[in-house]
Amino acid sequence: TVCCQAVEKQLKISGFKRNVDVLVLCLARQGLRSVPSLSQFHRLRYLWINNNKIQDLTFLNKNYCLAELYLNNNELTDISGALKHLCALQILLLHSNQLKKLGKTVKELKGMTSLQTLNLFRNPLAQDPGYRLYVIYFLPSVQLLDRKSVTQRERESAFHLHNHERSCVVQSIAFGKRVNVPLGPTAGCTGCTQPTRRLMMPSGNVPLLCSLCRVPLESPEDAGLVRAMTRSLMEFSSVDWNKVATCQERWLENRAEELQEKLTVPFQ
């Protein structure tokens, strides 16, 4: 077949005598409509098969070592079940195909934790509203999407859009600290009415003492009340971080620092 002849030609040009030695294979611009299994090249790392008429990717089901895969300018309409095993893939070019379903396409690529460069432009799915932020959120390892670097601001926007509840929590709770402040009047302390009676304890026993001013208390109930009224608090302060300039913005954009409103709420 045409594909087998193209493969044999490339092997002769490269001077490979054993399939195990094949790390690079270029089958671009050969007018190929289908490709037989490339499983014999189980150490294959770089594959150019762009600018053909390929519609099916089952020939890749054994090439686990692929690091770079060039599939652009073909006739692919669906990649489900064809690429998810390529966990070592770092560069994947799929632009100029006929991929229509954004969710299914991204789901197929989720297991590629090493994927850094991805092209999906000139596919129907790239016209979906929020396409870029969707890909950025669900494929966090991607650094270069459609020939454009992914920015930190885009990652924050994607997180806010696709995980809104979590984003609100992160943006609201900023600080937490323990505050030792009495909740109200304390029995036996300065500025408060001291107990009129003193606890009469048998000799040898130590009376209950106020933990703040060390005044003997009359009963265990009084001691419990003092302890309850002097429990520590937690103060939580919230700030709208979307309005706070980042360090980079302050240096590069000469953005003046604005005084932000901080809301502090104490909790018992």
Side-chain angles (χ1 to χ4, degrees):
T1 63
V2 177
C3 181
C4 292
Q5 293 174 358
V7 172
E8 291 296 330
K9 180 179 178 181
Q10 288 299 316
L11 295 181
K12 289 180 180 179
I13 293 175
S14 303
F16 292 121
K17 296 182 179 180
R18 299 187 307 166
N19 291 337
V20 72
D21 297 326
V22 178
L23 302 180
V24 181
L25 191 59
C26 182
L27 298 174
R29 304 179 186 278
Q30 301 289 330
L32 305 178
R33 292 185 177 275
S34 62
V35 179
S37 175
L38 299 178
S39 59
Q40 69 270 31
F41 309 118
H42 60 268
R43 294 182 59 190
L44 186 64
R45 290 184 55 82
Y46 310 99
L47 175 61
W48 281 264
I49 200 161
N50 51 289
N51 294 85
N52 285 292
K53 300 178 181 180
I54 295 172
Q55 300 179 357
D56 179 49
L57 297 178
T58 54
F59 59 90
L60 295 173
N61 58 2
K62 298 293 184 180
N63 301 103
Y64 299 101
C65 296
L66 277 172
E68 298 182 12
L69 179 57
Y70 302 87
L71 289 166
N72 49 292
N73 296 89
N74 276 289
E75 298 179 1
L76 296 170
T77 59
D78 188 8
I79 61 171
S80 299
L83 301 177
K84 60 184 177 183
H85 62 287
L86 303 179
C87 299
L89 206 60
Q90 299 176 13
I91 297 177
L92 175 61
L93 304 191
L94 281 165
H95 58 277
S96 300
N97 277 282
Q98 297 299 319
L99 301 174
K100 299 178 181 179
K101 297 183 179 180
L102 178 60
K104 290 182 66 176
T105 300
V106 171
K107 183 179 179 181
E108 182 69 16
L109 308 180
K110 278 186 178 181
M112 300 179 183
T113 55
S114 299
L115 188 62
Q116 298 179 9
T117 301
L118 175 64
N119 279 359
L120 289 171
F121 64 93
R122 293 180 188 164
N123 279 283
L125 58 76
Q127 303 301 318
D128 287 13
Y131 146 77
R132 184 172 174 87
L133 293 183
Y134 184 90
V135 176
I136 290 172
Y137 177 75
F138 288 102
L139 301 176
S141 65
V142 173
Q143 305 294 323
L144 188 67
L145 176 60
D146 294 343
R147 301 182 294 191
K148 181 181 177 183
S149 296
V150 177
T151 65
Q152 182 60 31
R153 187 176 293 276
E154 284 181 317
R155 294 194 188 280
E156 292 171 358
S157 298
F159 180 70
H160 182 73
L161 179 64
H162 295 286
N163 198 342
H164 184 69
E165 183 176 350
R166 174 71 175 172
S167 175
C168 289
V169 172
V170 172
Q171 294 292 336
S172 61
I173 298 180
F175 316 104
K177 64 178 180 179
R178 182 173 179 174
V179 185
N180 291 313
V181 180
L183 295 178
T186 305
C189 298
T190 304
C192 306
T193 303
Q194 295 190 7
T196 56
R197 296 175 291 121
R198 298 294 178 87
L199 178 64
M200 302 302 294
M201 301 287 291
S203 60
N205 291 337
V206 179
L208 298 171
L209 302 178
C210 173
S211 60
L212 295 181
C213 59
R214 311 305 294 173
V215 175
L217 299 177
E218 181 177 355
S219 68
E221 288 76 13
D222 290 336
L225 177 61
V226 169
R227 185 174 295 276
M229 295 299 291
T230 57
R231 284 180 296 181
S232 63
L233 303 178
M234 286 297 295
E235 283 188 356
F236 287 96
S237 301
S238 62
V239 175
D240 187 355
W241 289 104
N242 289 321
K243 298 180 181 179
V244 178
T246 64
C247 180
Q248 187 177 21
E249 289 172 338
R250 289 196 297 269
W251 280 96
L252 299 182
E253 301 179 13
N254 196 23
R255 179 174 171 181
E257 185 69 23
E258 301 177 2
L259 183 62
Q260 301 296 329
E261 181 180 358
K262 181 176 74 172
L263 176 64
T264 300
V265 181
F267 293 90
Q268 179 178 344

